[in-house]
Amino acid sequence: NGVSFIETSYEDGAMGKTDSRKRYTTLRRGVCYQIDRVIVTTHYAKELGGEDIDPKGVEHKLDQILSTFRFVE
């Protein structure tokens, strides 16, 4: 896509919940741009009326979207 990002990531979990975060940062013409990707899962999804998800599958789909990012001139 022609845009280089610095990637930082971390995961945090407590009380049956996990946050997986990635931040993509780039500098263009003296302006800093950040794109944050956050995936939150809980062990109580089914009890709360939700469904279990595959976090790695969601991560892969979001990374595919990020790969299409471009600046418009």
Side-chain angles (χ1 to χ4, degrees):
N1 68 0
V3 180
S4 297
F5 291 99
I6 296 172
E7 179 183 319
T8 56
S9 63
Y10 72 91
E11 286 193 13
D12 186 29
M15 304 285 294
K17 182 181 88 166
T18 302
D19 290 5
S20 173
R21 298 175 181 264
K22 279 192 180 180
R23 173 170 284 165
Y24 301 90
T25 305
T26 192
L27 188 64
R28 179 173 166 93
R29 297 181 182 160
V31 178
C32 179
Y33 294 88
Q34 294 180 331
I35 299 172
D36 289 337
R37 190 210 69 209
V38 181
I39 300 171
V40 179
T41 57
T42 178
H43 299 289
Y44 306 108
K46 289 186 178 180
E47 293 174 26
L48 298 172
E51 297 180 19
D52 287 335
I53 63 165
D54 171 21
K56 293 295 179 190
V58 172
E59 182 177 318
H60 178 71
K61 288 178 183 178
L62 293 174
D63 286 343
Q64 286 179 317
I65 292 168
L66 179 67
S67 73
T68 67
F69 179 84
R70 287 171 180 42
F71 285 100
V72 177
E73 297 296 331

